[in-house]
Amino acid sequence: MLTLKLISEETERVIKGLEKKHFKGAREAVEKVLETDKRRREAQQKLDKNKQEANSMSKQIGMLMKDGKTQEAEEVKAKVAVYKENDKQLQTLMAEAEQELTALLCNIPNIPADNVPEGKDANDNVVVKEGGVIPQLPEDALCHWDLCKKYNLIDFDLGVKITGAGFPIYIGKMARLQRALEAFFLEEARKSGYLEVQPPLVVNQASGYGTGQLPDKEGQMYHAEQDDLYLIPTAEVPVTNIFRDVILDEKDLPVMRCAYSACFRREAGSYGKDVRGLNRLHQFDKVEIVRIDKPEHSHESHKKMLEHVEGLLQKLELPYHILLLCGGDMSFTASICYDFEVWSAAQKRWLEVSSVSNFESYQANRLKCRYRHTEDKKIELCHTLNGSALALPRIVAAIIENNQTPEGIRVPKVLVPYCGFEMLDDKNF
């Protein structure tokens, strides 16, 4: 969440940033925060003053009793009792104000970085780079859902029978290709310096709040109500929460972690052509990379993460472009975000396969993730970053559509050592 220091010292910049993100009632929300903080501080000041006066009076009581002035001592005792009763009321006011303040701050999104473009939605995102060669397919080229049926690679209907729509079953060589992609992504992350972890697939409410999925996205998460646990929408949540309530040493930054996990998303409200086949699933696999860094280094870390994801797409021989998201299309928690999209040759459309975000201190403030300076021992909030490297479903969709041939589907060369075959075809064993 945004810090009170930022909101109070740079109020107009915060309001303009929230308006850039198309956050409704930005000025009113900020003014409410400042008003609530003022109420909290005033109660604190009165409480401190009361305690000083009560302590001073308590010393007088002893002196009066020593001098035999019992009646005067009793009068002072009565005044101290009044102060103590007032203190209880002030403490209640402070607690209520602090609770209200936290709720207000949790419902205010991060503000965009200065170089984030203006815009309302995805139509206003800016293409900043393109790469790869778009394949030219014959007119009778098949979309991935038809190719999967033709070669018995994925059974969407069987997934519906067992669970429901959006939970496909991968068969034979396609199951092996899934494993190959996971292994390839993890190995490339390891080569880039990321330490692999295997996190839980469910998290508690505190973890959801720490990374900002709660209270913003609770409607998109699967909730095990009896245990009050949430199925993770991405490994970002458990991996980043490793560092909740942690003070890191400056010498240990940047922290770099990667994780493979299944991801679960309700995707409520999704419909139409965008959800067909692998385009939008409720369960899918993904490798996530996470960085925690010093504020002055986080933008360089962001750049390195972008280069890492771009390198994966180049090795997979997929045509791609990189989008800088506009203010209105960014997530609740991001300060700046780039999306990677690959070209789906049969569908003739771009498919998002990765988002790489810098949250600056927004997540760290919620997580209380800080670091200690080596020289002066000062403690400061970290910056947190994460990115998909990569999400499998749409990568698979693009691979099998773009590489279809009369003999079968060509597997990218970089994956052959991981899966053990060069073609997805009728020989599905």
Side-chain angles (χ1 to χ4, degrees), residues 300-418:
E300 180 62 26
S301 270
H302 197 202
K303 180 182 176 184
K304 289 180 179 178
M305 293 174 80
L306 293 169
E307 291 170 350
H308 177 79
V309 175
E310 184 176 12
L312 297 177
L313 295 176
Q314 290 171 342
K315 289 175 182 178
L316 290 173
E317 307 167 57
L318 290 172
Y320 64 91
H321 65 198
I322 307 173
L323 300 165
L324 173 58
L325 301 196
C326 69
D329 197 38
M330 277 201 304
S331 72
F332 189 86
T333 49
S335 171
I336 184 169
C337 178
Y338 290 85
D339 274 2
F340 286 78
E341 295 182 337
V342 296
W343 180 250
S344 175
Q347 296 180 71
K348 296 182 173 58
R349 57 192 293 256
W350 292 100
L351 303 175
E352 180 195 330
V353 295
S354 175
S355 291
V356 183
S357 302
N358 187 346
F359 306 104
E360 297 193 346
S361 64
Y362 187 89
Q363 275 187 341
N365 191 31
R366 297 171 75 118
L367 293 158
K368 293 184 174 57
C369 175
R370 295 158 290 172
Y371 76 99
R372 183 181 286 106
H373 288 256
T374 302
E375 293 185 3
D376 60 11
K377 306 304 179 184
K378 177 184 174 185
I379 293 175
E380 185 178 350
L381 286 171
C382 298
H383 279 194
T384 63
L385 308 92
N386 85 277
S388 308
L390 287 157
L392 269 64
R394 295 172 190 164
I395 287 288
V396 170
I399 285 174
I400 62 180
E401 288 186 11
N402 295 2
N403 296 310
Q404 57 184 296
T405 72
E407 294 77 32
I409 300 161
R410 182 182 64 83
V411 174
K413 291 179 182 178
V414 74
L415 294 179
V416 173
Y418 291 92

Side-chain angles (χ1 to χ4, degrees), residues 66-346:
K66 186 177 180 181
D67 293 341
K69 299 177 180 179
T70 307
Q71 184 176 349
E72 291 181 30
E74 292 299 327
E75 290 174 357
V76 175
K77 280 184 182 179
K79 290 180 180 178
V80 171
V82 172
Y83 275 116
K84 288 184 177 179
E85 189 60 37
N86 287 340
D87 285 353
K88 291 179 182 177
Q89 295 176 11
L90 288 169
Q91 286 170 346
T92 299
L93 286 173
M94 276 183 58
E96 290 174 349
E98 286 174 356
Q99 187 176 9
E100 183 181 348
L101 189 59
T102 299
L104 289 168
L105 289 170
C106 281
N107 282 284
I108 295 176
N110 200 358
I111 59 173
D114 292 340
N115 57 328
V116 169
E118 297 280 354
K120 185 177 180 180
D121 53 34
N123 295 317
D124 299 315
N125 295 336
V126 179
V127 177
V128 295
K129 191 172 183 179
E130 296 180 336
V133 178
I134 293 178
Q136 300 300 315
L137 298 183
E139 288 297 321
D140 60 350
L142 299 176
C143 291
H144 69 269
W145 48 84
D146 291 323
L147 287 165
C148 288
K149 188 173 183 179
K150 177 180 179 180
Y151 295 114
N152 192 30
L153 300 173
I154 301 177
D155 196 322
F156 294 99
D157 294 332
L158 192 54
V160 172
K161 171 188 172 182
I162 295 171
T163 307
F167 296 89
I169 290 182
Y170 304 91
I171 302 167
K173 283 185 174 179
M174 180 53 70
R176 292 165 63 189
L177 186 68
Q178 294 279 314
R179 275 193 289 124
L181 281 163
E182 293 156 12
F184 167 63
F185 293 151
L186 286 170
E187 182 61 14
E188 289 297 304
R190 186 193 66 79
K191 290 177 183 176
S192 295
Y194 291 90
L195 178 66
E196 182 181 349
V197 296
Q198 191 173 64
L201 300 184
V202 294
V203 293
N204 56 30
Q205 192 175 90
S207 294
Y209 273 99
T211 44
Q213 277 68 33
L214 299 174
D216 180 49
K217 295 185 178 70
E218 60 263 70
Q220 295 295 340
M221 298 171 72
Y222 287 100
H223 185 203
E225 294 184 9
Q226 187 170 345
D227 299 303
D228 196 21
L229 296 173
Y230 293 85
L231 275 67
I232 62 169
T234 166
E236 169 205 347
V237 182
V239 174
T240 310
N241 270 279
I242 291 171
F243 304 97
R244 174 158 46 93
D245 299 318
V246 170
I247 299 176
L248 299 160
D249 288 328
E250 183 179 14
K251 63 180 174 59
D252 294 328
L253 298 176
V255 167
M256 299 167 61
R257 298 289 184 269
C258 69
Y260 151 76
S261 77
C263 303
F264 304 90
R265 300 184 185 180
R266 292 186 62 242
E267 299 290 6
S270 299
Y271 60 91
K273 66 177 182 179
D274 291 346
V275 304
R276 190 162 186 191
L278 296 170
N279 288 349
R280 194 173 295 274
L281 301 176
H282 294 304
Q283 178 185 326
F284 61 92
D285 291 345
K286 180 156 70 80
V287 171
E288 192 81 359
I289 53 175
V290 170
R291 280 190 181 229
I292 298 175
D293 210 342
K294 297 189 292 186
E296 61 267 32
H297 290 168
S298 74
H299 290 284
E300 180 62 26
S301 270
H302 197 202
K303 180 182 176 184
K304 289 180 179 178
M305 293 174 80
L306 293 169
E307 291 170 350
H308 177 79
V309 175
E310 184 176 12
L312 297 177
L313 295 176
Q314 290 171 342
K315 289 175 182 178
L316 290 173
E317 307 167 57
L318 290 172
Y320 64 91
H321 65 198
I322 307 173
L323 300 165
L324 173 58
L325 301 196
C326 69
D329 197 38
M330 277 201 304
S331 72
F332 189 86
T333 49
S335 171
I336 184 169
C337 178
Y338 290 85
D339 274 2
F340 286 78
E341 295 182 337
V342 296
W343 180 250
S344 175

